[in-house]
Amino acid sequence: IASCSPDENQDLFRAALTSLGALGIITEVEFEMTHATNIEWEQTLKPLDWVLSRWDKDLWTNKEFTRVWWLPYMKRAIVWSASKTDKPERPPVSSWYGGSVGFHTYHILLWISNYIPRILPAIEWFVFGMQYGFSDNAVTSGIEPQRTGLLMNCLYSQFVNEWALPLEKGPEAITRMSAWINGEEGSGIPFSNKGLYVHAPVEVRVSDTSRVQPRPWMDNTNPNGPTLYLNATLYRPFLKDPPCHERYYEAFEYLMKELGGKPHWAKNFSTVTHDDLQNMFGDNLTSFLRVRNEVDPDGVFLGAWHRRYLLPADTPRFACEEREFARTKAADGGKNWFGDLTSHPRTADEKTALLSTEQGPNHDDLEDARRFRETSAESLFGTKVFDKM
């Protein structure tokens, strides 16, 4: 058992801040809390040009909390901002579309778009127009506890590919990505968008941890100022993968890497290699691996993901390292992963038997409905489904 903090065992502390599951089991954490308050929030539909024109002015500093949902085909954005307040709670105005009607309508339309992708621009216009208004400067607002007001409803099963960039790179990133999605000139992205349509919204948000010390070894944020996060979400309606996800993410990650971005560790990046990460993190990756090997010399907490992305190609196998030997489609539309340990490899017969009998996890057809009930309003009407989406 080891303890670490900014002042004690600092190398281990810097590794543990972004451990990637590769260090051990964290049994106790002490962290600083903030006082519980209400927040007063407002969300407004704005043209994308307005957002970009305010980028370096007061877009991100006018309120304590700000995030943006970019609607790529409408070339608009929903700007959500909030501040702490002592005012009493005030729920937003109810909408007949804002409850389960909108939730299930969008879900079904996304499912149809898997077979007819070209309708996605029309879906974006209809769904977000019904929820946020069809005219620029449409406003909704509310006052609620901070613990709920800052939450977001993820709606459905999804792929999420999110990258961190220096804030000043935002206008170029959005402008070039917009050009590529809409088939316009000037994207500089060397992949065809022919026949490709994407989901909305793209989440745009900002944080500033540049004054925090010590920093994680595997920190993806900007050490010299605010960090922009771009989140390209693709939904999996009724657990079916959208047809665009491989090429969309290939183009998105190309642009992010060209602009000096780093991937969000908990998201679905797909084209990143160990060499990419070595270039991004340099000596910090080397330091992380040094600490990792010191606290887990047998590789108990190493798996195929770590070897694929973090470990140099010439790194010998660890005694207890997990190895992937097969990957198959699961009954629920996901993936089954099969593996063994370096020290206890499965025989060919064992692998064959395992693959022939494994049917994947049983899928509960009510999973999405249950998640909806747990996080949203039970009633047919209301606003809690799409609020702060």
Side-chain angles (χ1 to χ4, degrees):
I1 298 176
S3 298
C4 59
S5 72
D7 302 313
E8 177 189 0
N9 209 350
Q10 189 180 104
D11 277 3
L12 179 58
F13 180 72
R14 295 182 67 182
L17 286 173
T18 309
S19 71
L20 305 178
L23 299 183
I25 299 173
I26 298 175
T27 60
E28 184 177 340
V29 177
E30 180 179 339
F31 55 92
E32 185 177 356
M33 304 288 287
T34 187
H35 291 292
T37 66
N38 286 345
I39 59 170
E40 183 172 13
W41 59 264
E42 178 180 280
Q43 55 193 16
T44 309
L45 185 63
K46 292 287 189 180
L48 182 60
D49 287 344
W50 182 92
V51 172
L52 298 179
S53 72
R54 308 297 301 183
W55 194 276
D56 295 326
K57 298 177 182 177
D58 61 352
L59 177 65
W60 303 108
T61 58
N62 190 42
K63 297 287 183 67
E64 183 174 358
F65 306 103
T66 301
R67 57 187 176 226
V68 172
W69 293 278
W70 166 32
L71 308 174
Y73 295 112
M74 296 170 66
K75 295 188 177 180
R76 290 176 172 175
I78 301 152
V79 180
W80 183 95
S81 59
S83 297
K84 295 175 183 176
T85 182
D86 295 328
K87 297 177 183 178
E89 293 182 32
R90 174 175 57 81
V93 176
S94 296
S95 161
W96 70 270
Y97 182 79
S100 60
V101 172
F103 177 88
H104 294 298
T105 297
Y106 193 23
H107 204 182
I108 292 169
L109 289 173
L110 287 170
W111 177 78
I112 295 173
S113 76
N114 272 6
Y115 303 95
I116 315 174
R118 65 180 180 274
I119 67 174
L120 277 168
I123 291 174
E124 178 185 297
W125 173 83
F126 172 75
V127 167
F128 291 92
M130 289 294 293
Q131 181 60 25
Y132 299 106
F134 291 95
S135 301
D136 291 342
N137 300 312
V139 177
T140 54
S141 63
I143 300 174
E144 58 185 305
Q146 185 174 340
R147 62 181 176 81
T148 59
L150 295 177
L151 294 180
M152 296 177 62
N153 191 326
C154 294
L155 298 181
Y156 323 112
S157 175
Q158 58 193 247
F159 293 110
V160 183
N161 198 333
E162 183 169 335
W163 285 61
L165 296 164
L167 179 60
E168 62 268 19
K169 297 287 188 179
E172 179 182 354
I174 292 173
T175 300
R176 291 176 61 184
M177 202 68 209
S178 177
W180 186 80
I181 290 172
N182 289 286
E184 300 167 351
E185 295 183 356
S187 74
I189 299 174
F191 302 100
S192 171
N193 78 331
K194 185 177 180 180
L196 181 141
Y197 297 89
V198 305
H199 297 167
V202 176
E203 185 186 352
V204 185
R205 54 190 172 83
V206 172
S207 69
D208 188 354
T209 61
S210 59
R211 293 182 293 275
V212 176
Q213 295 293 337
R215 305 183 68 78
W217 291 121
M218 301 306 291
D219 180 22
N220 64 1
T221 64
N222 179 15
N224 302 312
T227 297
L228 166 70
Y229 289 94
L230 282 181
N231 179 339
T233 295
L234 288 172
Y235 294 112
R236 300 179 62 244
F238 300 104
L239 304 179
K240 301 299 181 183
D241 294 352
C244 64
H245 77 277
E246 291 183 359
R247 188 153 37 112
Y248 180 34
Y249 283 170
E250 188 176 33
F252 179 68
E253 292 184 16
Y254 173 88
L255 179 60
M256 295 299 101
K257 285 187 276 190
E258 186 173 85
L259 294 178
K262 296 177 182 177
H264 190 305
W265 291 114
K267 304 301 170 65
N268 302 104
F269 54 87
S270 56
T271 67
V272 176
T273 65
H274 168 78
D275 289 343
D276 289 329
L277 294 180
Q278 187 66 65
N279 290 333
M280 293 173 189
F281 292 92
D283 291 342
N284 281 352
L285 175 56
T286 303
S287 295
F288 175 82
L289 292 176
R290 171 181 56 79
V291 175
R292 200 228 71 78
N293 293 342
E294 289 172 357
V295 298
D296 179 29
D298 294 326
V300 173
F301 295 96
L302 283 179
W305 186 94
H306 302 100
R307 178 159 291 277
R308 181 162 60 250
Y309 293 116
L310 301 183
L311 302 183
D314 59 354
T315 304
R317 289 279 178 183
F318 292 77
C320 296
E321 179 183 343
E322 292 180 341
R323 303 184 304 179
E324 177 189 347
F325 65 78
R327 193 184 308 183
T328 63
K329 290 185 177 180
D332 67 352
K335 300 285 186 183
N336 290 322
W337 301 66
F338 300 89
D340 56 18
L341 299 180
T342 303
S343 56
H344 295 85
R346 298 182 188 272
T347 66
D349 289 342
E350 288 174 332
K351 292 179 180 179
T352 300
L354 184 63
L355 291 171
S356 64
T357 58
E358 177 61 44
Q359 299 299 315
N362 293 325
H363 173 59
D364 182 352
D365 290 334
L366 299 179
E367 175 187 359
D368 284 346
R370 183 171 60 250
R371 288 178 60 243
F372 168 61
R373 287 196 302 272
E374 290 172 352
T375 59
S376 307
E378 291 277 3
S379 62
L380 182 65
F381 309 114
T383 59
K384 292 190 178 297
V385 175
F386 279 156
D387 275 355
K388 302 175 297 302
M389 184 173 150

